[in-house]
Amino acid sequence: SNSIVIKNDEELKKKLIKLAKDVITSRVRMYEKIMNTKTHEVKVNSMYAARGKNYYSKGLLTFSYELVHFSLELIDAIVIHELAHDFKQNHSASFLRHKQHLEV
């Protein structure tokens, strides 16, 4: 059978986090190559204030597991945005111009 049994909300959240991490990590790896950035550690968890965050000094990207509900195009836009912070660590006009040139 191809069915999945979820016993409770906590089990559902764990499965969504794993699925989101698999999808997001594969997208991060693809865009790291395209954007010629370093390889990052990827974490996925509950995030209430943001969809993603780049801890550039640690080489760590964190993403909200809720991205699992988003389209790949939107996930890619968030991944590109966070990777662009390797080049500019803020949201200045310079960052926005630089990011615009990186989007594929």
Side-chain angles (χ1 to χ4, degrees), residues 5-31:
V5 177
I6 305 292
K7 295 177 181 139
N8 55 46
D9 288 346
E10 192 58 34
E11 187 178 340
L12 175 61
K13 184 176 175 182
K14 284 180 184 177
K15 289 191 183 298
L16 288 174
I17 287 172
K18 182 182 179 333
L19 177 60
K21 183 167 184 179
D22 291 347
V23 170
I24 293 167
T25 299
S26 72
R27 306 311 282 180
V28 166
R29 296 296 175 249
M30 181 178 76
Y31 284 107

Side-chain angles (χ1 to χ4, degrees), residues 10-65:
E10 192 58 34
E11 187 178 340
L12 175 61
K13 184 176 175 182
K14 284 180 184 177
K15 289 191 183 298
L16 288 174
I17 287 172
K18 182 182 179 333
L19 177 60
K21 183 167 184 179
D22 291 347
V23 170
I24 293 167
T25 299
S26 72
R27 306 311 282 180
V28 166
R29 296 296 175 249
M30 181 178 76
Y31 284 107
E32 285 170 338
K33 289 178 183 156
I34 291 169
M35 295 170 67
N36 196 29
T37 67
K38 63 187 173 192
T39 300
H40 298 79
E41 179 183 358
V42 177
K43 290 188 177 181
V44 174
N45 53 39
S46 299
M47 295 179 69
Y48 299 104
R51 297 291 181 214
K53 185 150 175 74
N54 183 331
Y55 297 90
Y56 42 87
S57 63
K58 297 179 181 179
L60 169 66
L61 300 174
T62 61
F63 296 93
S64 169
Y65 81 92

